[in-house]
């Protein structure tokens, strides 16, 4: 009996000592295909993800993954014409609801992995971290690029794409309790990229101030420096609209290969 108690105590200490792993999925439109490739490696390595935070396409992939949609299913969606239809449809929220309902999930409280996503208040240009309520609507808000999509109404606030402020929300997943952060960063070059011309934003209220201050860049650099396992596939030559099947296949492979390079770091977390 004494030996059993000691063994249980040791096991409890081992479980308690395991660092909590947070997964951060950045924005980048069609380049999210690379994220799916990286997710496949993370699963192959047997990493237990405790928290997920995402922005824009990272919020969509992260929300679906947190709800239980497998990387293989995400791959099938991304490579199908259905995915392009979903992301260009006015009924996008309903499409998200249909996908999530297959996994018995419609709200943040129902996800298998705790999840947060980032949006921006269109009128104040302040960050809004979404953590409760309708998951499909939150995912839609996080990826609603100004001009391309209408702002999403959320408790009286008009929300748009979170990438305007925080495109790699490492700080969000740290606040959730992550000790170790794995981040998939889709950005290429020094500055954060978006799927619309910055010149188009001139004259659109608070976005004018954002255009001149670009607070997203300093936030991005700070968050990037706080990542423990940094997955950054080479996606030069691809953009947020590169949804052609053959391009997505290439980006998925690049995401997979880049994550595979970090295999030894990943398996240390298991």
């Amino acid at each position: 009996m004494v030996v059993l108690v000691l063994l249980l105590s040791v096991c409890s200490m081992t479980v308690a000592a395991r660092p909590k792993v947070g997964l951060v999925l950045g924005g980048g439109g069609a380049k999210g295909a690379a994220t799916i490739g990286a997710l496949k490696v993370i699963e192959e390595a047997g990493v237990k993800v405790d928290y997920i935070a995402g922005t824009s396409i990272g919020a969509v992939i992260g929300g679906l993954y947190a709800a239980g949609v497998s990387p293989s299913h995400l791959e099938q969606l991304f490579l199908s014409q259905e995915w392009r239809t979903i992301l260009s449809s006015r009924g996008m929220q309903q499409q998200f609801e249909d996908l999530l309902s297959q996994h018995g999930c419609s709200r943040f409280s129902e996800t298998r992995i705790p999840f947060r996503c980032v949006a921006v208040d269109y009128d104040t240009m302040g960050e809004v971290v979404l953590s409760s309520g309708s998951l499909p609507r939150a995912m839609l808000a996080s990826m609603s690029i100004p001009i391309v999509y209408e702002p999403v109404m959320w408790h009286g606030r008009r929300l748009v794409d979170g990438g305007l402020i925080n495109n790699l929300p490492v700080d969000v997943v740290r606040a959730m309790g992550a000790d170790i952060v794995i981040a998939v960063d889709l950005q290429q070059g020094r500055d954060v990229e978006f799927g619309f011309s910055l010149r188009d934003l001139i004259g659109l209220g608070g976005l004018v101030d954002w255009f001149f201050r670009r607070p997203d860049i300093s936030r991005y650099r700070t968050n990037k420096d706080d990542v423990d396992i940094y997955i950054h596939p080479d996606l030069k030559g691809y953009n947020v609209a590169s949804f052609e099947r053959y391009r997505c296949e290439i980006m998925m492979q690049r995401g997979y290969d880049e994550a595979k390079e970090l295999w030894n770091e990943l398996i240390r977390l298991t």
Side-chain angles (χ1 to χ4, degrees):
M1 179 62 73
V2 174
V3 173
L4 179 59
V5 171
L6 287 173
L7 284 173
L8 289 173
S9 298
V10 170
C11 289
S12 297
M13 290 173 62
T14 301
V15 172
R18 184 185 74 80
K20 298 293 186 180
V21 177
L23 177 62
V24 174
L25 306 180
K31 291 182 289 184
T35 296
I36 297 169
L39 281 178
K40 292 174 74 173
V41 175
I42 291 169
E43 286 216 336
E44 288 172 8
V47 176
K48 182 184 185 305
V49 175
D50 298 286
Y51 310 106
I52 302 175
T55 298
S56 199
I57 195 64
V60 175
I61 294 172
L64 293 173
Y65 186 64
V69 180
S70 70
S72 295
H73 190 184
L74 287 168
E75 179 180 13
Q76 292 170 10
L77 283 170
F78 228 92
L79 295 178
S80 69
Q81 186 62 40
E82 177 188 2
W83 185 250
R84 294 188 71 171
T85 301
I86 288 173
L87 296 183
S88 62
S89 170
R90 294 196 173 193
M92 199 185 317
Q93 182 180 330
Q94 185 61 54
Q95 300 277 4
F96 289 158
E97 288 174 359
D98 292 344
L99 277 170
L100 289 164
S101 67
Q102 297 172 24
H103 295 268
C105 184
S106 63
R107 306 183 69 79
F108 279 87
S109 59
E110 297 169 337
T111 59
R112 299 182 185 184
I113 303 172
F115 173 69
R116 303 284 183 272
C117 64
V118 178
V120 168
D121 186 311
Y122 184 79
D123 298 300
T124 67
M125 291 307 295
E127 179 183 33
V128 180
V129 177
L130 302 173
S131 60
S132 63
S134 169
L135 181 58
R137 193 160 187 78
M139 289 159 53
L140 179 61
S142 184
M143 64 160 291
S144 290
I145 300 171
I147 302 172
V148 179
Y149 300 111
E150 290 290 324
V152 173
M153 294 304 301
W154 187 278
H155 302 297
R157 305 171 82 174
R158 296 191 298 165
L159 302 187
V160 294
D161 196 307
L164 288 166
I165 295 292
N166 194 355
N167 206 44
L168 193 71
V170 175
D171 50 346
V172 173
V173 87
R174 288 282 188 198
M176 293 173 74
D179 301 304
I180 301 293
V181 173
I182 303 170
V184 183
D185 184 6
L186 306 176
Q187 303 307 321
Q188 310 294 305
R190 293 189 309 167
D191 296 343
V192 179
E193 306 164 66
F194 293 97
F196 52 87
S197 168
L198 297 181
R199 287 174 297 180
D200 291 339
L201 300 180
I202 296 296
L204 296 180
L207 290 176
V208 174
D209 182 55
W210 173 87
F211 174 81
F212 289 107
R213 292 188 302 109
R214 289 305 302 271
D216 56 301
I217 296 176
S218 60
R219 186 77 167 276
Y220 167 74
R221 291 171 178 165
T222 299
N223 277 332
K224 179 181 170 183
D225 289 341
D226 193 31
V227 175
D228 298 293
I229 299 179
Y230 182 62
I231 303 173
H232 187 218
D234 181 1
L235 302 174
K236 293 182 179 67
Y238 299 90
N239 58 50
V240 296
S242 298
F243 280 106
E244 296 85 356
R245 182 185 175 95
Y246 78 96
R247 291 181 183 273
C248 285
E249 288 176 336
I250 293 171
M251 290 188 285
M252 280 182 193
Q253 189 62 49
R254 291 190 181 183
Y256 184 91
D257 292 343
E258 181 67 17
K260 201 72 172 181
E261 290 290 322
L262 300 166
W263 180 261
N264 289 338
E265 293 181 47
L266 291 170
I267 60 174
R268 290 192 192 105
L269 301 178
T270 62

